[in-house]
Amino acid sequence: MTTSSPGLALSPKGRFHLTSTDQTAGSTLSDVAASRLKKAFASGQGDGVLFLAGAALTWELPPSLAFGREVGRLFFTRLCSQPDPELIRQDLRIDATEAELSALVLGAPPFAGAEYLDVPVLESAWQELHAAVDRELAQADTSVAAWLVQKNSIWGQVGRVSFHLAENKNRPDTPFAFLATYAVRLSREGKVQYAPLGRALQEGTGDRRALLALLAPVKRAAEKSPFIAELIESGQIFHPLAWSPSQAYRLLQEAPLLAETGILLKLPDWWSGRQPRRPEVAVTLGARPASGLGLEALLDFSVEMSLDGVRLTKAELDQLLEATESLVSLRGRWVEVDREKLVEALQHWKRMEIQASDGVTFLQGMRLLAGAKIEGGDVVEGDTAPAYTRAIAGPWLQGVLDELRNGSENLHESLAGKLRGTLRPYQARGVVWMDTLLRLGLGGCLADDMGLGKTIQVIALLLLLQRRHERGTSLLVVPASLLSNWTGELARFAPGLRTLLAHPSAMSVDQLAKSAPDVLKNADVVLTSYGTLLRASFLRETEWACVVLDEAQAIKNPAAKQTRAVKALKSRGRLALTGTPVENRLGDLWSLLDFTSPGLLGSPKAFSAFTKKMIDAETGYAPLKELVRPYILRRLKTDKNVIDDLPEKTEVTAYCTLARPQAALYEKAVRELRERLASDLSPMEKRGMVLSFLLRLKQICNHPSQGSGDAGFEPAGSGKFQRLAELCEEIAARQEKVLVFTQFQQMTRPLASFLATIFGTGGLVLDGTTKVAARQGLVDSFQSDDGPPFFVLSVKAGGTGLNLTAASHVIHFDRWWNPAVEDQATDRAFRIGQKKNVLVHKFVCRGTVEERIDALLHSKKSLSRQLLEGGGEVVLTELPDDELLRLVSLDLASALGE
């Protein structure tokens, strides 16, 4: 469910900021609360997180904002744990461990930009939060304690009193010692000195207010803990005490509650409130190779009792099962034992070991390893004392997981003479990952950033399948607008792959269906579109070796006919390609993995129930992330092992189809040109006439409204507008910025209006009507981190002299037919100061003069050199009539796509 509440987002530069809409289920803030929150974040991420941990500490927040508050809560907890913050106010240093920050990263919920989240990002936010606290404390006229109360009364008077629990090994009957202390002063060495709490009673009679302030946390603890109330009533809390294991355990159990009241706890290092040291029922999965392939393959599993990963002897197990105390000394260390839960877990898994003598499915095993309890009747699920159960990957299964995460293979040898190109190291890693999944009968999602080369990785994989002579044909399903791209890339990188284009532009659906049995025998790859898949039933009836979906976000809506058609495909392996961050949208994630790994995430209802439980769980979304991690390979352009391997600038041709009205107008214009050429024209008249028709054809390729001047510019009327939407939806999801160039001033405003609907916010426009004095302001606005996400520029007005390095994408909506002019425009983003890889998209309408000129520019023909060196369109006016008509004629089947 989407709400209108503000949410937390993370920019590609690793900075937290507010987004207008939180994309996960949660509470909606009032207008007043939202306004206060926006005001705080407007001052910076440090001030924003400070607000979340202070004024918003008890607010009901959406998951993304609640995560930001957890960062602030950890900081405040550290601040309050200082024995006396006032004594060290001028040099306050609050730190978090890497383990604590890593736990926050792992447990983070899905939110916009979550793919950028890592420990260094949290460290940066932590430092800015520290700076915000320092600034406020420097300006405050009150004490640190009073300042904490101002932020939130819960933080007041925390950290004065400490409860110490230590082992006393010399007394078997009372092996623990307890002492309540308070901080007295700093020693000369800068260390806090403590004194027994009883001393405070002796010294505090002269300052009753100070004594009451000191004992306030103890009073709060007594209100929540009957055990502490007993110690106070008896007066024992003011004296050193010798305790039995049961008394020590009562204190240990209440440790989280006591910490909330403001009491510091000094406990033995073997005790952790969240995960105390316990014996466990160790369930080992996949010690031997699985029986079969896919998610239904069977894994062997065995059950034994262990402590710290070491198997317990029968004598040790008997000692635990016979124990009457909750703390038992085992192997010289104390462990927590809940005998009832331990017996319950052991008996459950022993029963499962007998019942599932053939093993558990790969799907069940992966859920168990991840700690993801998704309803569905699996034998490994159920509430069976999870605190006393630990799932372990056996040698074979661990090897499989390691291969999926870190596997490598000498692809140079495997693909020698087959692949007409060179894979970068991270691309080779992607090929091996996909190949490993397919060999195991599994599916996955290659979710690399736009521009990292998902296409060549899939082509290399298809060549591997061909080389191993694996039976069957693979099916590639792509948006119609990308059929030309895939056809060209397959021919370029893998001419040895026998490819069939199953699309009306090549052959009617009926013809395809009739010839399918014979044609498929001689094809390695069948390339089709999502639309064709809906109409061509034989594609859904064929058993494919592998099905690959490009732009797989096309199936994010489970109820759509297109999604149902895709999921009805029969195949031994399934792969999905997308550059959109699916990990930030739970519904998209479910639908995509329901195709690649059916059943892994359960039914929609079961998955929804599972994710709702994670919102308030201590582990957050960590179980879900662990469950899906083997099946999603996600690399960002900012990854250290990728960025150094990328070219500084990548140029790609973005082929577009024509809408039917465009095609009709284009054909009409070509007919008129043919008629005019047949008339008696002087050379000057012919030149002017041809130039006007070339301009008209370009305008039709952009949008029919540009030529007619009707100002409608309906997106459905232009293939280029549709392709622009596809690209910019992904760019918007990545929170990246884009420059869009057009040679036509009258296109700038319609493009900006259309892009605003894609990005959900307005952008900038610079054309011939922009005043010179306003140019720098537009540049400064675009360059700022929170500035507009897109900038539409006319090439003449904005193609030179501007520094727009905030953009990582450049789109040439229409072509100048002179690469030097295009390069000048591209260099607005690709210039000194640019620290990102720049991806350049050049729009070309298939089957039109745009495609033929683009082909000429990539060839070595004399005409292409003249276009490069001369006046572009002017050179075309000198062509013989028949050659000119061939150049501008419409290949209708290619242009229309569908």
Side-chain angles (χ1 to χ4, degrees), residues 593-716:
L593 289 188
D594 186 52
F595 165 74
T596 62
S597 308
L600 181 69
L601 297 182
S603 67
K605 183 178 179 181
F607 182 66
S608 177
F610 169 59
T611 54
K612 283 180 180 177
K613 290 179 182 177
M614 291 188 292
I615 293 175
D616 298 319
E618 285 189 359
T619 54
Y621 289 81
L624 175 60
K625 291 179 180 179
E626 281 298 306
L627 179 60
V628 303
R629 188 157 68 111
Y631 312 101
I632 299 177
L633 184 59
R634 174 78 163 154
R635 275 87 60 91
L636 307 178
K637 291 192 290 285
T638 51
D639 290 347
K640 290 181 180 178
N641 62 339
V642 170
I643 194 168
D644 293 337
D645 195 33
L646 285 176
E648 295 173 326
K649 179 172 64 174
T650 303
E651 297 187 351
V652 294
T653 301
Y655 289 106
C656 310
T657 56
L658 293 181
R660 289 194 176 275
Q662 281 179 292
L665 286 173
Y666 191 101
E667 275 196 309
K668 180 181 178 183
V670 173
R671 284 197 303 271
E672 290 180 18
L673 174 61
R674 181 179 291 107
E675 292 170 2
R676 295 290 300 276
L677 287 173
S679 62
D680 188 18
L681 296 173
S682 68
M684 184 64 72
E685 287 174 330
K686 177 186 173 184
R687 183 178 293 115
M689 184 271 295
V690 172
L691 281 175
S692 83
F693 269 90
L694 288 172
L695 182 66
R696 183 175 165 187
L697 294 175
K698 277 189 173 185
Q699 291 174 331
I700 292 171
C701 286
N702 280 353
H703 198 290
S705 293
Q706 185 182 358
S708 65
D710 64 13
F713 288 98
E714 289 297 325

Side-chain angles (χ1 to χ4, degrees), residues 381-594:
E381 295 172 1
D383 243 348
T384 54
Y388 287 88
T389 302
R390 182 164 64 102
I392 307 166
W396 177 82
L397 181 56
Q398 188 60 55
V400 168
L401 295 177
D402 289 344
E403 188 175 2
L404 284 173
R405 292 164 185 164
N406 311 301
S408 61
E409 180 182 319
N410 186 357
L411 291 179
H412 177 73
E413 219 173 89
S414 302
L415 299 175
K418 298 280 188 180
L419 183 68
R420 300 285 180 86
T422 303
L423 293 171
R424 297 187 177 93
Y426 73 87
Q427 292 172 333
R429 167 77 188 89
V431 176
V432 172
W433 175 78
M434 290 187 289
D435 186 44
T436 302
L437 282 174
L438 294 183
R439 283 191 285 107
L440 292 169
L442 303 173
C445 173
L446 181 62
D448 283 348
D449 247 352
M450 184 191 299
L452 293 189
K454 295 186 286 292
T455 302
I456 193 173
Q457 293 179 65
V458 169
I459 291 173
L461 173 71
L462 295 172
L463 285 170
L464 276 184
L465 299 182
Q466 182 198 53
R467 179 180 180 272
R468 286 205 297 264
H469 305 294
E470 295 197 3
R471 296 176 61 189
T473 304
S474 294
L475 178 68
L476 277 171
V477 186
V478 310
S481 59
L482 297 183
L483 285 171
S484 296
N485 293 66
W486 272 98
T487 302
E489 297 293 84
L490 283 163
R492 173 187 172 193
F493 292 116
L497 278 177
R498 297 168 299 173
T499 303
L500 168 68
L501 178 59
H503 187 263
S505 62
M507 189 185 301
S508 72
V509 172
D510 290 340
Q511 287 176 312
L512 282 169
K514 290 177 183 177
S515 59
D518 296 327
V519 171
L520 292 180
K521 290 178 183 178
N522 299 315
D524 297 309
V525 183
V526 171
L527 180 62
T528 194
S529 68
Y530 287 99
T532 305
L533 187 64
L534 280 169
R535 298 192 298 272
S537 59
F538 79 90
L539 292 174
R540 301 192 296 276
E541 294 163 0
T542 301
E543 181 76 30
W544 304 100
C546 178
V547 172
V548 182
L549 305 184
D550 191 17
E551 301 295 344
Q553 61 270 22
I555 64 166
K556 65 183 179 182
N557 181 359
K561 290 182 179 179
Q562 182 170 277
T563 304
R564 295 200 301 270
V566 166
K567 292 183 179 180
L569 290 168
K570 302 172 184 178
S571 63
R572 297 194 295 275
R574 296 182 169 198
L575 296 171
L577 313 179
T578 180
T580 303
V582 294
E583 66 267 33
N584 297 340
R585 295 173 175 82
L586 293 177
D588 295 4
L589 177 67
W590 180 87
S591 187
L592 197 145
L593 289 188
D594 186 52

Side-chain angles (χ1 to χ4, degrees), residues 354-374:
I354 296 172
Q355 292 175 13
S357 57
D358 293 333
V360 296
T361 66
F362 195 91
L363 182 152
Q364 293 168 336
M366 295 304 289
R367 286 183 182 175
L368 184 59
L369 285 175
K373 295 184 178 179
I374 303 174

